[in-house]
Amino acid sequence: MPKLSLSKNHHLLLILSAIFVLTGSGLIYMSGNENCFLRINQHLTPSFGNLARIFSALGEWYAMVLLLVLSFGMPFRKTLMVAFIWFSGACYSWVFKLWLLKGLARPLEHFEKAGIPINLVDGVNVHHFNSFPSGHTLTAFSAAFAAICLYPSSGRWIQILALLLALACGLSRIVLAQHWPWDVAGGAVLGILASYTGQELASRLPDHPIFNRTVWPKS
């Protein structure tokens, strides 16, 4: 069984993701986390908000469920890889949200206390605490990397599209006032780390015939 390798399957995604994270982090550092959020929030329109709700759905749990189902026709090792990626991402998120940075204020909580009004999207339940990292961004990025690992022969444009969708999901979380820009950058990094962890765990499984079988036998 060939070794599942993040660097082998995702070199283009890694480069583009690094550019995004480094560029975004630089802009956030120079402008300030609050100022970056407010600049995006000031340009919120109803149509922009509805578009953000659509892209935000890409970071929901069912994105990983879809990949898990798609992997059922592949070797069981890949099915376990997707499960490992999903579990790793959840663990990384829980470590920060429920332990290291538990109770960290989200934008709405912060600006309400400061007496600064911000624009909100109608119909969206905006949370107040446990801000870092953006779980939706984490899921979207780990799903993008997992998808390319399931289909390593996919073209460059498919890889770029997967990354752009993950990026759109991350930006949507700022537009919806659910997260700070730093939360999105952190979610992207942890999503990539979750993908790497899941692939490494899958590659270290024993070389046993059971891991080369499929969940759904081919007819």
Side-chain angles (χ1 to χ4, degrees):
M1 177 70 184
K3 180 179 175 62
L4 298 169
S5 171
L6 181 69
S7 58
K8 179 180 179 181
N9 297 326
H10 298 148
H11 59 281
L12 178 61
L13 278 184
L14 281 172
I15 293 173
L16 295 176
S17 297
I19 293 174
F20 157 65
V21 172
L22 292 175
T23 302
S25 298
L27 292 173
I28 297 170
Y29 178 78
M30 289 186 293
S31 301
N33 199 32
E34 293 184 18
N35 289 335
C36 279
F37 173 86
L38 289 174
R39 286 179 181 177
I40 295 175
N41 185 259
Q42 288 170 356
H43 294 87
L44 179 63
T45 62
S47 58
F48 194 24
N50 290 329
L51 188 63
R53 295 179 68 171
I54 296 174
F55 283 117
S56 180
L58 297 173
E60 294 285 355
W61 58 271
Y62 42 74
M64 295 303 297
V65 171
L66 175 61
L67 288 176
L68 199 63
V69 172
L70 290 174
S71 72
F72 285 171
M74 301 179 183
F76 187 47
R77 186 183 300 269
K78 286 198 171 184
T79 302
L80 289 176
M81 178 202 69
V82 176
F84 288 153
I85 291 175
W86 191 2
F87 180 73
S88 299
C91 288
Y92 293 143
S93 180
W94 292 337
V95 165
F96 284 96
K97 288 181 178 293
L98 303 180
W99 183 35
L100 296 179
L101 297 175
K102 182 179 180 180
L104 187 66
R106 298 196 186 208
L108 181 59
E109 176 69 19
H110 173 82
F111 288 114
E112 277 186 345
K113 285 190 174 180
I116 301 175
I118 60 175
N119 296 315
L120 300 176
V121 178
D122 292 337
V124 175
N125 180 27
V126 183
H127 301 290
H128 287 251
F129 298 101
N130 299 331
S131 184
F132 187 93
S134 167
H136 282 67
T137 306
L138 191 159
T139 299
F141 270 83
S142 60
F145 277 77
I148 301 303
C149 189
L150 289 178
Y151 303 97
S153 60
S154 57
R156 290 186 176 182
W157 288 111
I158 299 298
Q159 295 189 31
I160 293 175
L161 176 61
L163 178 62
L164 289 177
L165 290 175
L167 174 59
C169 177
L171 293 177
S172 74
R173 302 306 288 168
I174 305 175
V175 173
L176 297 177
Q178 297 283 20
H179 287 285
W180 300 100
W182 276 127
D183 301 337
V184 171
V189 172
L190 290 175
I192 297 170
L193 182 59
S195 176
Y196 176 80
T197 303
Q199 291 179 62
E200 282 300 305
L201 289 174
S203 69
R204 295 177 186 276
L205 292 171
D207 188 13
H208 192 278
I210 192 174
F211 296 118
N212 295 326
R213 299 175 183 172
T214 61
V215 176
W216 287 339
K218 297 181 179 179
S219 58

